[in-house]
């Protein structure tokens, strides 16, 4: 059975959290392990580390401030985040970036928090897990400046256009692809782009509990997406790319291990 790593699970504060143990087990039964839990603000990141400690080798996490929470960024945030990032369970800085779709935080605050976290990732020489929605041009100009000094930069849940994809690839970004691609309406453009992502730059993720793959049959009873569905997404993307599913899964697994420095799982 192929191995998979779900690189973006929104476990905390979500519909998944009450069932953490069974979510982890059901995923592992499908070969999906470890899972990377997203930290979207500093308090949640601290909780994520504590939960990872309860599930050693099964959970890792990120530590950061999502653009939705950027207005909470304060003078001492960088220091707190630096300390959180020292925990061995933290495999990336983030989730950070820009979201001009929801604009939950003012845009100048989003840019400030994003830049501060890129600087932190550079200081700590840790990879960064990023989010961008409807903010391509500002995101690009910021990441262009910081990319040369970053050890690794992943744009998770990429859903952009071909030109955007090419710009990100040219800058050496990794792209995370979710079950969005399985949506026959809004995922159509992404489905056409996915074959053009260089194989060593592609990571797969559920972004659960969001983005349940719409094409799953039989349709799961709950609309809640789960890490155990990652093999379905992998198979779907492999088909789009015209690649052997097992080979594709193996490539993605190794991409994830090397991006997040999880070489202890390398066989
Ligand atoms: Zn995101």
């Amino acid at each position: 059975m192929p191995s998979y790593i779900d690189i973006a699970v929104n476990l905390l504060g979500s519909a998944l959290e009450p069932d953490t143990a069974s979510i982890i087990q059901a995923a592992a039964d499908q070969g999906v392990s470890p899972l990377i839990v997203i930290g979207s603000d500093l308090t949640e990141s601290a909780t994520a580390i504590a939960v990872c400690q309860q599930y050693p080798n099964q959970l890792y996490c990120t530590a950061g401030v999502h653009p939705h929470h950027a207005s909470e960024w304060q003078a001492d945030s960088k220091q707190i985040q630096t300390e959180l990032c020292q925990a061995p369970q933290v495999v990336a800085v983030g989730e950070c970036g820009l979201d001009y779709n929801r604009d939950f935080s003012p845009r100048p605050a989003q840019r400030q928090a994003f830049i501060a976290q890129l600087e932190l990732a550079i200081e700590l020489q840790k990879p960064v897990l990023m989010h961008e929605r409807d903010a391509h041009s500002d995101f690009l100009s910021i990441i262009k400046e910081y990319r040369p000094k970053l050890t690794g930069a992943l744009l998770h849940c990429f859903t952009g256009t071909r030109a955007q994809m090419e710009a990100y690839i040219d800058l050496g970004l990794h792209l995370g692809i979710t079950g969005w691609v399985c949506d026959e309406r809004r995922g159509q453009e992404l489905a056409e782009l996915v074959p053009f992502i260089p194989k060593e730059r592609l990571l797969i993720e559920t972004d659960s509990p969001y983005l349940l793959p719409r094409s799953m049959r039989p349709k799961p009873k709950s609309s809640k997406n789960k890490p155990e569905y990652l093999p379905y997404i992998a198979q779907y993307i492999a088909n789009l790319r015209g690649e052997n599913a097992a080979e594709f899964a193996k490539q993605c697994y190794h991409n994830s291990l090397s991006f997040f420095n999880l070489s202890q799982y390398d066989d």
Side-chain angles (χ1 to χ4, degrees), residues 162-206:
R162 175 141 196 177
Q164 292 171 358
M165 179 192 81
E166 285 169 353
Y168 292 144
I169 295 293
D170 286 348
L171 277 175
L173 267 54
H174 283 71
L175 297 179
I177 302 295
T178 62
W180 178 286
V181 76
C182 308
D183 187 327
E184 67 287 347
R185 304 161 308 159
R186 60 181 189 171
Q188 192 53 44
E189 184 173 14
L190 184 62
E192 287 164 19
L193 293 182
V194 144
F196 299 100
I197 301 173
K199 64 176 186 197
E200 66 284 358
R201 300 283 193 83
L202 205 164
L203 302 181
I204 52 174
E205 52 171 315
T206 60

Side-chain angles (χ1 to χ4, degrees), residues 8 10 38 66-68 95-96 99 129-133 155-157 205 207 210:
N10 301 282
I38 297 295
H66 189 283
H68 290 347
E95 173 172 359
C96 59
D99 192 315
L129 186 148
M130 304 178 295
H131 170 108
E132 180 265 301
R133 235 179 133 200
L155 177 55
H156 105 100
C157 194
E205 52 171 315
D207 207 18
Y210 316 116

